């Protein structure tokens, strides 16, 4: 059974950092594009960052460019999202998602992602 499990969320002060993990099981994540999305209360789910299956090319939303970084460890079948310089507006539930495609690019088209994790809460507050 294909499964994604996020972890690493929590409460952090503005300017702080967190590292989210997305552990994949039941499939080899290096053949999948992995995307990170977030959803704040009352808002639509939005793409944050993604990493392609071929070449590990990263695409990041303008709102997090230079602050969030995605990486993958194929040996551990895990993808990470490093969050730095956090702002209160980054508060949301963060999800990872997988799309089976061997491609050098990735995007934030939610409908293209087949598998989703349960989400992890990130709260940025003083």
């Amino acid at each position: 059974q294909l499964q994604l499990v996020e972890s690493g969320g929590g409460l952090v002060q503005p300017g702080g950092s967190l590292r989210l993990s997305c552990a994949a099981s039941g499939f080899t994540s290096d053949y999948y594009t992995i995307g990170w999305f977030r959803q704040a209360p009352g808002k639509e789910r939005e793409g944050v960052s993604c990493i392609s299956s071929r070449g590990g090319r990263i695409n990041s939303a303008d709102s997090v460019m230079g602050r969030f970084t995605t990486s993958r460890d194929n040996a551990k079948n895990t993808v990470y999202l490093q969050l730095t310089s956090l702002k209160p507006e980054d508060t949301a539930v963060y999800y990872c998602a997988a799309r089976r495609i061997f491609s050098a690019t990735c995007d934030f088209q939610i409908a293209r992602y087949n598998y989703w994790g349960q989400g992890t809460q990130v709260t940025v507050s003083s």
Side-chain angles (χ1 to χ4, degrees):
Q1 183 177 357
L2 306 180
Q3 191 174 14
L4 297 170
V5 178
E6 302 98 332
S7 61
L11 173 64
V12 62
Q13 292 186 343
S17 300
L18 284 173
R19 189 177 79 159
L20 307 184
S21 299
C22 173
S25 61
F27 65 103
T28 303
S29 63
D30 50 338
Y31 290 102
Y32 287 73
T33 285
I34 303 295
W36 285 97
F37 298 81
R38 67 184 181 185
Q39 188 165 19
K43 294 188 176 181
E44 293 185 352
R45 191 169 298 188
E46 63 174 355
V48 174
S49 185
C50 60
I51 184 165
S52 70
S53 52
R54 180 182 174 191
R57 184 174 178 178
I58 296 168
N59 187 14
S60 297
D62 290 342
S63 59
V64 306
M65 190 79 70
R67 300 189 299 122
F68 293 5
T69 303
T70 296
S71 61
R72 67 195 304 159
D73 185 337
N74 289 338
K76 295 183 178 180
N77 227 21
T78 300
V79 175
Y80 304 97
L81 181 66
Q82 180 71 45
L83 293 73
T84 63
S85 302
L86 282 161
K87 306 174 182 180
E89 52 263 42
D90 294 319
T91 295
V93 178
Y94 284 71
Y95 301 88
C96 66
R99 177 188 177 194
R100 182 175 174 81
I101 183 170
F102 194 59
S103 172
T105 62
C106 62
D107 58 43
F108 302 130
Q109 297 292 322
I110 291 175
R112 295 180 177 177
Y113 287 84
N114 310 103
Y115 307 100
W116 291 80
Q118 83 290 350
T120 185
Q121 177 71 46
V122 172
T123 302
V124 185
S125 175
S126 55

